[in-house]
Amino acid sequence: MTKEIPNALLGDVARAAGVSTASVSRVLNGAPHVSQRLRERVEAAIDKLGYVPDGAARALASRRIGAIGVLVPTLDNPVFSAWIDSLEQRLKHHDCRLLIATYRYDLDDEFAALRTLIQQGVDGVVLLGHDHREESIDLLQRRRLPFLTCWHNVNDPDCPCVGFDNALPARQLVEHLLTLGHRRLAVISAPTRTNDRARARLNSFLKTAEQAGYPISPGNIITVEYGIAEGAEAFEELMTRPQPPTAILCGNDTLAFGVMLAAQRSNKKIPEDVSITGYDNLPQSPFMNPPLTTVAVPAQALGDLVADAIIARINGNPSPHHQQLEAPLVIRRSTGPSTSG
Amino acid sequence: MTKEIPNALLGDVARAAGVSTASVSRVLNGAPHVSQRLRERVEAAIDKLGYVPDGAARALASRRIGAIGVLVPTLDNPVFSAWIDSLEQRLKHHDCRLLIATYRYDLDDEFAALRTLIQQGVDGVVLLGHDHREESIDLLQRRRLPFLTCWHNVNDPDCPCVGFDNALPARQLVEHLLTLGHRRLAVISAPTRTNDRARARLNSFLKTAEQAGYPISPGNIITVEYGIAEGAEAFEELMTRPQPPTAILCGNDTLAFGVMLAAQRSNKKIPEDVSITGYDNLPQSPFMNPPLTTVAVPAQALGDLVADAIIARINGNPSPHHQQLEAPLVIRRSTGPSTSG
DNA sequence: GTCCTCATTGTAAGCGCTTACAGATCTTGG
DNA sequence: CCAAGATCTGTAAGCGCTTACAATGAGGAC
């Protein structure tokens, strides 16, 4: 509760320590060529005056703000908040902050938010997925701003990427179901128009099934918004079909939860009456009844990797243009042998 | 894809438009006393040059950065991400950005994060709850930084607050269970040491039960970390009691989900064998089997209200010191008459 | 003792914008 | 037609830091 001069400036510290402003700045920034004695004097003065550097002035003079911007469709999805969480933790080690902006899957909003971030002077930008307005990538390139896309695996020379293959595990899920004897599959997908990840999953589901000789009928392909309620409704709709599917592939775990809850409610047994798969492996997936077969999206590892990669780019260190993580299948008891035929 | 001078400055715009830098700045900031003609000339020049103002320079000169800082324990909890989501949307209308920092319920980390935010020059700060290090509030006051606490309802002259009463709905939940005939209650609480919200709920559970003459026995009070798995384990522990509780009060919906899933797994019927209550009303609560009795925490309304209140404070407009929202009980089918006696 | 090198410190010029103030222009009333 | 007042625009002084460059001083080699 010390009574002190409201806001000490760097110059005040310099005066108090009897050194130049440059020296104070050097101490502050851990620059080399600073003697122990001087450092101690300055640090004492800083403590005494309760000095806090002004971020804006520092940013203006040094041309960096010590923060990166991340554009995420929504924080509503636990898989994104988990990712952001680990991204933030890891960036902290690099002494770097996070500016988060959301755009609700609207790429025009994403572009607008990107402009705002650039205006704020972020040192780098992380984009999610591969679907963006051309202007967004353009702007980043023209500004020479380090950036990264993630959560996908498109090998685009314009877009460095740290991600995983959305299609491969989707194919494996279908193969898993076919092996179990399922022949009438259905898909409940998130909207795909501005979401390459959802699109990759959906296309992979459809293509794999078709190539195996068991194409998924158009009536069994439902696209709904993200949400439990939406999953539940889609399930009910599928059950009105003359020949209901024996297995349902969901574009994400949340939709799968909706499906499972709706199934329980209408007394369908999982997996005896219908098998269910998700995609994400949210914390509660192993606790569902039965535990949910899904794909373990490496959200946390992705956060760490993205943090390291963007920092490397900002520092001008070499960083691979294209990095991939595994997204393994997690087979649990929500899928089982088909009993319909 | 226009080929243009990399980074136009305000001075370039002024030259291109044939006006002074002051006029450009005025147009940029929508200042009064700017003629229509001048405004149009400047706007044309801005478009032509693709000028983007430098946030750092602007912040340094104007002493505000157009962003507020929000300190949130974690983004892991959907109720917080929903709140942040609406906070961000609403602030956008006020042309204000959000800097988010998390501290994982560690108040020393919260203090450190606060310092960082202040250093970045945020125009205001939002804190969650009433538990903070004294130094944090001190720092805010000494800096004369507009700030707000929320999510609680402590009427502290030092801390303006926009929140709701955590204790009242907790009391109503207990009364609801007592009315249904339950006499052996249990509580599964989140850690309370640095979390006044959890503490208020827990204390209200205990006090209400005790005052009604049915105190909750110490063995039936379990504190666990946030999470589905944690709720499930706590349930299993409670079931090992010689006389298991007939109703379980959970500190939040996520714990309640864990309890419900564990109950299903061990073939306990809800609510016939045991009644369950939550607290938050997450999107999936109404979809559980059976739907969960809980408290509808007004996360979204709180986001809007907090946004308006902090903006008012920043602009020096009057704003109530203490604002309260309703957090109504939502009675669903996870609670029912006690059948044990 | 002189000269050179290198580690350390200081000087001062910005970084790109805002804004107080002053100056210019335009109305309007007398 | 002029002065007063209102409205618009320009000038220039910062905002609080960083950093290129210059200056200083201490050792060492000769």
Side-chain angles (χ1 to χ4, degrees):
Chain A
M1 238 96 341
T2 332
K3 181 78 177 175
E4 53 197 348
I5 291 93
N7 282 354
L9 304 183
L10 182 140
D12 301 330
V13 175
R15 200 169 316 115
V19 302
S20 72
T21 58
S23 293
V24 177
S25 177
R26 288 192 190 101
V27 170
L28 243 33
N29 295 293
H33 307 313
V34 181
S35 71
Q36 187 61 28
R37 207 174 112 269
L38 187 144
R39 180 183 309 282
E40 280 163 7
R41 285 232 306 281
V42 170
E43 277 167 356
I46 288 177
D47 283 353
K48 192 175 124 224
L49 298 178
Y51 168 68
V52 178
D54 178 313
R58 183 180 264 205
L60 177 58
S62 70
R63 316 274 59 209
R64 47 194 147 67
I65 69 165
I68 67 152
V70 52
L71 287 158
V72 58
T74 168
L75 292 177
D76 221 45
N77 189 330
V79 86
F80 291 145
S81 33
W83 173 65
I84 297 252
D85 229 59
S86 78
L87 187 56
E88 197 212 9
Q89 298 295 315
R90 186 63 159 246
L91 284 172
K92 197 182 276 176
H93 297 322
H94 296 284
D95 210 35
C96 181
R97 249 68 42 202
L98 203 56
L99 304 193
I100 304 169
T102 61
Y103 57 88
R104 300 175 178 246
Y105 292 101
D106 178 326
L107 300 186
D108 292 337
D109 281 1
E110 188 198 32
F111 180 60
L114 173 61
R115 290 185 69 105
T116 303
L117 286 175
I118 289 178
Q119 183 161 340
Q120 304 259 327
V122 290
D123 302 327
V125 173
V126 173
L127 302 176
L128 210 142
H130 187 254
D131 279 358
H132 307 286
R133 273 183 56 177
E134 202 182 309
E135 288 93 327
S136 297
I137 305 302
D138 228 55
L139 183 58
L140 288 165
Q141 290 175 334
R142 211 159 48 222
R143 291 252 160 191
R144 304 267 147 74
L145 210 55
F147 77 101
L148 214 57
T149 63
C150 60
W151 217 272
H152 71 93
N153 74 325
V154 180
N155 204 338
D156 178 339
D158 283 338
C159 294
C161 146
V162 175
F164 60 92
D165 186 345
N166 282 274
L168 174 64
R171 194 183 79 210
Q172 295 170 331
L173 282 173
V174 173
E175 287 166 349
H176 167 64
L177 292 174
L178 292 174
T179 302
L180 289 171
H182 293 277
R183 296 299 177 253
R184 287 200 311 279
L185 306 182
V187 181
I188 304 175
S189 169
T192 56
R193 200 173 58 75
T194 62
N195 183 337
D196 54 282
R197 287 84 63 209
R199 209 161 50 234
R201 295 173 192 181
L202 175 58
N203 289 340
S204 182
F205 287 147
L206 300 182
K207 192 176 134 203
T208 308
E210 181 165 357
Q211 288 181 344
Y214 303 102
I216 301 177
S217 78
N220 278 355
I221 304 169
I222 299 188
T223 295
V224 296
E225 295 292 327
Y226 177 89
I228 298 250
E230 286 73 8
E233 282 165 22
F235 174 81
E236 277 149 19
E237 188 181 335
L238 286 172
M239 288 306 118
T240 65
R241 301 281 181 265
Q243 291 226 313
T246 65
I248 302 177
L249 297 143
C250 299
N252 59 61
D253 277 8
T254 299
L255 290 175
F257 296 161
V259 168
M260 291 184 76
L261 295 170
Q264 284 183 11
R265 182 160 307 178
S266 53
N267 287 318
K268 302 274 180 201
K269 290 237 179 273
I270 303 171
E272 291 79 1
D273 297 330
V274 58
S275 284
I276 310 288
T277 70
Y279 206 120
D280 281 345
N281 197 28
L282 296 185
Q284 72 187 271
S285 301
F287 289 93
M288 295 302 284
N289 290 320
L292 180 64
T293 292
T294 186
V295 175
V297 165
Q300 189 178 327
L302 205 54
D304 291 344
L305 208 54
V306 165
D308 293 344
I310 190 73
I311 291 290
R313 277 165 188 279
I314 289 171
N315 294 337
N317 298 333
S319 171
H321 184 78
H322 191 85
Q323 264 177 297
Q324 290 241 72
L325 289 172
E326 292 292 310
L329 235 56
V330 183
I331 295 184
R332 299 202 184 98
R333 286 187 287 103
S334 71
T335 47
S338 169
T339 55
S340 71
Chain B
M1 225 79 316
T2 330
K3 183 78 178 177
E4 50 197 350
I5 291 92
N7 280 355
L9 304 183
L10 183 138
D12 302 329
V13 174
R15 200 169 318 113
V19 302
S20 73
T21 59
S23 293
V24 176
S25 177
R26 286 192 191 102
V27 170
L28 244 32
N29 295 294
H33 305 313
V34 181
S35 69
Q36 187 60 27
R37 208 175 111 267
L38 188 145
R39 179 183 309 280
E40 280 162 8
R41 286 229 308 279
V42 169
E43 278 167 356
I46 289 176
D47 283 353
K48 192 173 122 224
L49 299 178
Y51 169 68
V52 178
D54 179 312
R58 185 181 261 205
L60 178 55
S62 70
R63 316 274 56 210
R64 48 194 145 70
I65 69 166
I68 68 153
V70 52
L71 287 158
V72 57
T74 169
L75 292 176
D76 222 46
N77 188 329
V79 85
F80 290 144
S81 31
W83 174 65
I84 297 250
D85 229 59
S86 78
L87 186 56
E88 198 211 10
Q89 296 296 317
R90 186 62 160 244
L91 283 172
K92 198 181 276 175
H93 297 323
H94 296 285
D95 210 35
C96 180
R97 247 69 41 203
L98 203 55
L99 303 193
I100 303 170
T102 61
Y103 56 89
R104 300 174 176 247
Y105 293 102
D106 178 325
L107 300 186
D108 292 336
D109 281 0
E110 187 198 36
F111 180 60
L114 174 61
R115 291 185 70 105
T116 302
L117 285 175
I118 289 177
Q119 185 161 337
Q120 303 260 328
V122 290
D123 302 327
V125 173
V126 174
L127 302 176
L128 210 143
H130 187 253
D131 278 358
H132 308 286
R133 274 183 54 179
E134 202 181 310
E135 288 92 328
S136 298
I137 305 302
D138 229 53
L139 183 56
L140 288 165
Q141 289 175 335
R142 210 158 48 220
R143 290 252 160 189
R144 302 267 148 74
L145 209 55
F147 77 100
L148 214 56
T149 63
C150 60
W151 218 271
H152 71 93
N153 74 325
V154 180
N155 204 337
D156 177 340
D158 283 337
C159 296
C161 145
V162 175
F164 60 92
D165 186 345
N166 282 274
L168 173 64
R171 194 183 80 209
Q172 294 170 330
L173 281 173
V174 174
E175 287 167 350
H176 166 64
L177 291 173
L178 292 173
T179 303
L180 289 170
H182 294 277
R183 295 299 179 255
R184 288 199 310 278
L185 305 184
V187 181
I188 304 175
S189 169
T192 57
R193 200 176 57 77
T194 61
N195 183 338
D196 54 280
R197 288 83 64 208
R199 210 161 50 234
R201 296 172 192 182
L202 175 60
N203 289 341
S204 182
F205 288 146
L206 300 182
K207 192 175 134 204
T208 308
E210 180 166 357
Q211 287 181 345
Y214 303 101
I216 300 176
S217 78
N220 279 354
I221 303 168
I222 299 187
T223 295
V224 294
E225 294 292 326
Y226 178 89
I228 297 249
E230 287 72 8
E233 282 165 24
F235 174 81
E236 276 149 19
E237 186 181 336
L238 286 173
M239 288 306 118
T240 65
R241 301 282 182 265
Q243 292 229 308
T246 64
I248 302 177
L249 296 143
C250 300
N252 57 62
D253 277 8
T254 299
L255 291 175
F257 296 160
V259 167
M260 290 183 78
L261 295 170
Q264 285 184 8
R265 182 158 307 180
S266 53
N267 287 318
K268 302 275 181 202
K269 289 236 179 278
I270 303 170
E272 291 78 1
D273 297 330
V274 56
S275 285
I276 312 288
T277 69
Y279 206 120
D280 281 345
N281 197 29
L282 296 184
Q284 74 187 269
S285 303
F287 289 92
M288 296 301 285
N289 291 319
L292 180 64
T293 292
T294 187
V295 175
V297 165
Q300 188 179 325
L302 205 54
D304 291 345
L305 209 53
V306 166
D308 293 345
I310 190 72
I311 290 291
R313 276 166 190 278
I314 289 172
N315 294 336
N317 297 332
S319 170
H321 184 79
H322 189 86
Q323 264 177 297
Q324 291 243 68
L325 289 172
E326 292 293 310
L329 235 57
V330 182
I331 296 183
R332 300 202 183 97
R333 287 187 287 106
S334 72
T335 47
S338 169
T339 55
S340 71

